[in-house]
Amino acid sequence: MKKNIIIDYLTYGSGQLINLIAPILVAPKVISVCGIESWGKIGVVLSIFTLLGLFIDFGSNILGVKEISIHKNNFNKIQDYLNTSFAIKFCFFAIIVFAVVLSNFFFTEIDHKLYLLALTLLSAQFFNVTWIYQGFEKFGIINRIIFVSKIIYVAVVYLLITHKEDYYLVLFILGSANTIVYFFFFIRIWKLYQLSFFNLKTDLIKEQFKNEFSILISNFSIAIYVQSPILIIQHLLGDYYAGIYKIGDMILSIFRSYLSVFFNVSFPKFCECYNTNKMEGIRFLKKINSLNIALLITGVLVVVIGGNLIITKDILNPKIYNLLSFYSGFIIVPIITALNIPFYQYLIYKNEQKILSIILSLGSLLMMILGYFLTLFFKIQGSLIAVFFIESLITTLIILFSLKKYKRISN
């Protein structure tokens, strides 16, 4: 298993590396042609649609992976789950698209072109089947999906973004590239499992909705405290500082991407292992997460030390240098997140979605309140202080509840 998981990490990790490189390649082109204010607008709308997309995901990115990894050899079980899952997804997709289109008639001050063309991000979310392949641990297929979609995205951006007013096309291109590629693999899954919206079971829809709603709340809460800083900054400080924050956020994205790889590869393996032997599953969590934290700390040290050696005040504008120096101090945040991953995975397996949703909802509420007032008084630095505080609070609560749950079961 050790050899297999290393191969899976490398395979899936290479795909996520492409996901990370794509915005880094796109950012200089868009900023140089359209300006940093436009980059800020794009970042804000992307954050909003990321939040909306979670309703289309529902709980499939976590509980869906769990169900498929456990029942990967049970055709009927997976067929029922996928039928139900896509029916729920479609309902949310239709409602959200209607709401976005309708809101454009009532909110005259918003950038209508940018919002309406960004609807392709939602269609991509509906057709996205990478979570299914994740459950089957077919990371090679996920890589092909990511590689092709991001190549199309980057190439078309460089071809079409030629004037300042073209910024509204960026998210349309991203959503369209993803939709085209995802749709091809969606059709393959649809045919393979003989799916149909006319073969739905009401009791399964109710059960799945009930089970996954808490995960939706958890995911939405996580997204709120990740995405809300740029929304608050844009509201209080304007598009320019939103653009600055978006650039700085790309530094944190390196480590977020790494943690995403770790979570997505280790979770189905943990589910399968724990389902077979509980003690073996716990040992797996301890070993793999100890290695993960060690690698993450090493990565943070390399970035901080290397960055201070390479990037100096002589190279950058003093204002930008001070901002980057401040950001570098906050890459400790992913280490805090990494500490809660094994406990988070354990609680999900134990169907403790409700307590997770409560903890994360509390975190997102505090993030909006603290983020607003700290940004109001301390400008862009205040939002980062809020992120650091909320991340620490959430991690502490998840660990404490998980230890309490495990101790109760063990006794």
Side-chain angles (χ1 to χ4, degrees), residues 18 35 38 64 145 166 254 332 336 350 356 378:
I18 296 168
S38 296
I145 293 173
D166 290 339
I254 297 172
I332 193 174
I336 300 173
K350 290 296 182 181
L356 286 172
F378 301 105

Side-chain angles (χ1 to χ4, degrees), residues 53-276:
L54 292 174
F55 288 90
I56 299 172
D57 265 345
F58 210 56
S60 60
N61 64 326
I62 295 180
L63 289 188
V65 173
K66 171 188 169 183
E67 288 298 314
I68 290 173
S69 65
I70 292 175
H71 304 292
K72 61 177 62 176
N73 296 318
N74 190 329
F75 181 91
N76 291 331
K77 193 83 173 178
I78 293 177
Q79 183 187 54
D80 285 340
Y81 183 85
L82 293 181
N83 266 330
T84 306
S85 182
F86 283 118
I88 295 173
K89 286 173 180 285
F90 182 78
C91 289
F92 275 110
F93 171 71
I95 292 169
I96 293 171
V97 169
F98 177 76
V100 171
V101 172
L102 190 64
S103 66
N104 272 264
F105 291 101
F106 291 98
F107 299 99
T108 55
E109 71 281 2
I110 68 174
D111 194 325
H112 298 291
K113 281 186 178 180
L114 187 57
Y115 276 87
L116 291 176
L117 290 177
L119 286 172
T120 55
L121 295 171
L122 299 181
S123 63
Q125 206 72 37
F126 174 74
F127 291 122
N128 187 358
V129 291
T130 55
W131 59 276
I132 299 174
Y133 290 113
Q134 183 189 333
F136 286 118
E137 298 178 56
K138 294 184 178 181
F139 299 107
I141 295 177
I142 297 176
N143 272 9
R144 290 199 290 274
I145 293 173
I146 293 171
F147 181 78
V148 175
S149 61
K150 293 305 177 285
I151 286 293
I152 295 173
Y153 168 49
V154 174
V156 177
V157 164
Y158 272 81
L159 284 172
L160 296 186
I161 306 301
T162 56
H163 299 90
K164 185 176 178 64
E165 63 273 14
D166 290 339
Y167 70 90
Y168 66 86
L169 291 173
V170 174
L171 296 182
F172 172 73
I173 295 169
L174 173 61
S176 298
N178 288 343
T179 297
I180 291 168
V181 179
Y182 291 163
F183 181 73
F184 174 79
F185 287 89
F186 173 84
I187 292 299
R188 289 178 61 177
I189 292 291
W190 191 273
K191 290 181 178 179
L192 178 63
Y193 284 96
Q194 302 165 27
L195 303 181
S196 172
F197 285 148
F198 300 103
N199 189 28
L200 299 173
K201 300 175 182 177
T202 306
D203 57 329
L204 290 181
I205 292 176
K206 291 180 179 178
E207 181 183 355
Q208 189 167 321
F209 190 93
K210 181 180 178 181
N211 290 339
E212 297 188 6
F213 184 76
S214 297
I215 286 294
L216 168 63
I217 299 301
S218 297
N219 288 341
F220 191 77
S221 299
I222 292 172
I224 283 289
Y225 75 76
V226 170
Q227 304 296 339
S228 61
I230 191 173
L231 302 178
I232 293 170
I233 289 169
Q234 192 271 344
H235 175 69
L236 294 177
L237 306 179
D239 292 326
Y240 176 81
Y241 280 99
I244 290 292
Y245 182 87
K246 186 64 178 176
I247 295 172
D249 190 58
M250 291 168 68
I251 298 172
L252 293 179
S253 294
I254 297 172
F255 295 97
R256 287 179 187 151
S257 181
Y258 167 76
L259 290 177
S260 174
V261 171
F262 175 78
F263 187 98
N264 291 335
V265 173
S266 63
F267 185 58
K269 288 186 179 294
F270 162 66
C271 291
E272 185 178 6
C273 189
Y274 192 88
N275 191 55
T276 303

